[in-house]
């Protein structure tokens, strides 16, 4: 069967979102409630910090039964000539009937890892006026800086279900350019958003002729069907190429995280703040057991070959809003070659450092933002940076509360243009209160 065709979505589950362990409260993954927090030695990113005596990996509860999909299943189509079919998967396990969801209590995950949700001291959100301006180098927001907003408890901005006309062919030249923000396993929302732009038909097949489609990374974790998202993108890549267009993808920090969790597991890495592992970091950042169970070599190979940065027309496309790309080369080709070489060498510490740097954010925000963007554009070319990674509600400081207070929830209805018009943010926050963004570039066309 063609990869991605007929893949049933699975029921959403509450997950632990990014940055569950603040730099001032180090908490083991499986929880030892009686142990006091140990402050890390370095105030930078400390995902996956654990004590020296690390317990066995977290035992996940069986996932609930999958509901019927909300979009039409794709009928069998002829295989594109350039496409290689993935190995057949085993039949899915029959799970018990799901129970009714409990009322929202502010918790971000079932009680498989209770210590991860331990209360921490409240702090202000960067950009809201409550933080000092002198963040340490490499500072990455923590749980309270990016508070958890439960998707089911917030205002949803639905994608119009009606399909738009397919983009008109543009002759022998390149077709129209589209970009997709962070997906994080929300397969149904992705198919609906692509169909609303006329890029796929009612069966989820490529319908855009010679159009060009770029995904900005972060396909898995937090959401219900990350592997289904990867299968869909892989299939659309083959179908688009057969139609004279293309569908391509960039590497996000969650691709690096999933690769590291699969390859290195509980192998200790040098985090600069004690012992860390990819396995612990993956769990803390919304890793889904059903994604890991279905992860195959073909998915790992595909993710490992993704580029980190590209230039399309006059747009510089990358996943993270950081200047850390400059650490890996002075040209686009150098950056991509260096990232691929690191993954090929398969050194856990090197891959961790790459993941840590790609997890940085907010470099283009605030007073120094335009200068940071200009540094990237001056090095790699283009007139605008287009990125995902940092949800637009967080960039704008429009964050909800976790204590049940009634206040307006963030609403995202399109990309966010900022940094003196030099940067376009594309992560609409599908995991929380926003929506999955698929837009045509340049904006306004």
């Amino acid at each position: 069967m063609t990869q991605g065709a007929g893949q049933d979505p699975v029921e959403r589950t509450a997950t632990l979102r990014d940055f569950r362990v603040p730099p001032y409260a180090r908490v083991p993954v499986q929880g030892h409630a009686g142990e006091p927090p140990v402050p890390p030695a370095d105030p930078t990113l400390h995902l996956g910090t654990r004590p020296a005596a690390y317990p066995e990996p977290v035992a996940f509860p069986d996932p609930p039964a999958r509901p019927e999909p909300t979009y039409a299943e794709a009928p069998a189509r002829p295989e594109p000539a350039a496409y290689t079919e993935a190995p057949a998967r085993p039949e899915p396990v029959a799970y018990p009937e799901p129970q009714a969801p409990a009322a929202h209590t502010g918790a971000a995950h079932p009680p498989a890892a209770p210590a991860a949700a331990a209360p921490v001291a409240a702090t202000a959100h960067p950009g809201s006026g409550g933080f000092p301006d002198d963040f340490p180098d490499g500072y990455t927001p923590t749980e309270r800086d990016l508070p958890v907003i439960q998707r089911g408890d917030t205002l949803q901005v639905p994608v119009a279900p009606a399909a738009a006309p397919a983009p008109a062919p543009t002759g022998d030249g390149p077709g129209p350019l589209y970009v997709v923000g962070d997906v994080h396993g929300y397969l149904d929302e992705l198919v609906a958003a692509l169909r609303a732009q006329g890029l796929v038909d009612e069966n989820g097949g490529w319908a855009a002729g010679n159009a060009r489609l770029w995904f900005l990374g972060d396909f898995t974790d937090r959401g219900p069907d990350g592997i289904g998202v990867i299968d869909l993108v892989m299939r659309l890549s083959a179908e688009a190429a057969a139609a004279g267009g293309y569908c391509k993808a960039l590497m996000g920090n969650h691709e690096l995280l999933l690769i590291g969790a699969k390859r290195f597991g509980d192998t200790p890495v040098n985090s600069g703040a004690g012992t860390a592992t990819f396995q612990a970091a993956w769990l803390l950042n919304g890793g889904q057991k059903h994604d890991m169970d279905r992860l195959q070599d073909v998915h790992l190979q595909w993710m490992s070959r993704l580029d980190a940065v590209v230039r399309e027309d006059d747009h510089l496309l990358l996943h993270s809003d950081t200047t850390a790309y400059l650490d890996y080369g002075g040209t686009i080709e150098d950056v991509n070659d260096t990232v691929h070489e690191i993954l090929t060498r398969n050194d856990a510490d090197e891959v961790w450092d790459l993941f840590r740097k790609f997890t940085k954010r907010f470099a283009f925000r605030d007073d120094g933002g335009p200068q940071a963007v200009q540094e990237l554009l001056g090095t790699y070319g283009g007139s605008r940076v287009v990125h995902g990674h940092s949800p637009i509600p967080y960039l704008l400081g429009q964050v909800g509360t976790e204590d049940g207070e009634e206040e307006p929830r963030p609403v995202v209805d399109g990309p966010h243009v900022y940094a003196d018009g030099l940067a376009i943010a594309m992560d609409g926050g599908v995991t929380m209160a926003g929506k999955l963004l698929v837009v045509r570039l340049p904006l306004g066309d």
Side-chain angles (χ1 to χ4, degrees):
M1 186 174 74
T2 302
Q3 285 181 346
Q7 175 64 54
D8 290 341
V10 299
E11 183 174 340
R12 296 178 183 80
T13 56
T15 61
L16 293 175
R17 287 165 170 76
D18 272 346
F19 317 114
R20 299 298 298 164
V21 177
Y24 48 80
R26 197 165 122 210
V27 182
V29 174
Q30 285 192 326
H32 297 278
E35 296 181 2
V38 180
D42 182 1
T44 57
L45 174 65
H46 307 301
L47 299 178
T49 303
R50 65 172 189 174
Y54 185 67
E56 292 298 317
V58 174
F60 286 85
D62 287 337
R66 301 176 179 177
E68 291 299 319
T70 58
Y71 60 89
E73 297 288 356
R77 286 189 292 275
E79 291 291 334
Y83 190 70
T84 304
E85 185 161 340
R89 296 192 187 91
E91 290 297 320
V93 178
Y95 297 105
E97 289 296 324
Q99 298 181 357
H104 172 56
T105 61
H109 198 279
V120 295
T123 57
H125 180 269
S128 65
F131 262 73
D133 295 329
D134 53 344
F135 294 122
D137 181 46
Y139 173 83
T140 303
T142 58
E143 176 188 5
R144 286 291 180 177
D145 299 322
L146 304 182
V148 173
I149 303 175
Q150 293 293 342
R151 180 175 171 82
D153 295 340
T154 56
L155 175 64
Q156 303 301 303
V157 183
V159 177
T170 57
D172 295 332
L177 174 64
Y178 293 81
V179 290
V180 184
D182 299 35
V183 182
H184 283 299
Y186 285 91
L187 179 60
D188 288 353
E189 287 80 353
L190 173 60
V191 172
L194 293 173
R195 187 166 180 248
Q197 288 284 4
L199 297 169
V200 300
D201 58 26
E202 65 276 8
N203 297 314
W206 182 259
N210 66 345
R212 298 169 291 161
L213 179 63
W214 274 98
F215 286 80
L216 299 181
D218 278 8
F219 303 103
T220 66
D221 303 336
R222 305 188 211 164
D225 196 2
I227 300 302
V229 170
I230 292 177
D231 281 340
L232 174 65
V233 177
M234 292 172 66
R235 174 168 62 79
L236 290 178
S237 298
E239 295 176 359
Y246 60 74
C247 170
K248 299 183 180 181
L250 294 178
M251 181 176 295
N253 61 306
H254 280 262
E255 280 67 66
L256 293 168
L257 185 57
L258 183 58
I259 291 170
K262 180 66 173 181
R263 286 185 182 179
F264 307 117
D266 286 328
T267 300
V269 294
N270 295 324
S271 70
T275 304
T277 72
F278 273 103
Q279 174 74 5
W282 175 71
L283 293 173
L284 289 170
N285 284 276
Q288 299 294 295
K289 182 178 184 296
H290 51 76
D291 281 345
M292 186 64 76
D293 290 343
R294 295 161 53 209
L295 184 64
Q296 301 177 18
D297 286 344
V298 65
H299 302 127
L300 289 169
Q301 293 168 6
W302 181 80
M303 288 189 292
S304 298
R305 295 168 183 164
L306 297 177
D307 285 337
V309 57
V310 298
R311 190 173 68 247
E312 283 286 352
D313 299 340
D314 211 23
H315 297 86
L316 186 66
L317 309 183
L318 37 80
H319 173 71
S320 304
D321 47 328
T322 177
T323 57
Y325 295 90
L326 296 168
D327 296 344
Y328 295 96
T331 68
I332 290 175
E333 293 75 15
D334 288 344
V335 174
N336 293 329
D337 288 346
T338 301
V339 170
H340 295 155
E341 288 168 5
I342 290 173
L343 291 174
T344 300
R345 283 195 293 269
N346 209 33
D347 180 271
D349 288 327
E350 276 194 302
V351 178
W352 177 268
D353 189 61
L354 181 64
F355 159 68
R356 182 183 64 84
K357 288 181 177 178
F358 276 28
T359 306
K360 295 181 180 181
R361 65 175 82 236
F362 295 160
F364 311 148
R365 201 179 65 171
D366 303 325
D367 293 340
Q371 181 179 352
V373 177
Q374 290 282 21
E375 188 176 6
L376 286 171
L377 297 176
T379 302
Y380 303 129
S383 62
R384 263 184 173 179
V385 163
V386 183
H387 70 86
H389 186 50
S390 290
I392 292 171
Y394 294 153
L395 278 172
L396 298 176
Q398 296 174 341
V399 293
T401 63
E402 295 181 280
D403 54 10
E405 293 181 4
E406 290 296 329
E407 64 176 43
R409 297 298 192 181
V411 176
V412 174
D413 55 9
H416 173 52
V417 180
Y418 68 117
D420 292 347
L422 297 175
I424 302 174
M426 280 291 301
D427 184 354
V430 67
T431 61
M432 17 170 279
K435 72 176 183 179
L436 202 158
L437 296 178
V438 178
V439 303
R440 181 172 175 176
L441 296 178
L443 295 180
D445 283 14

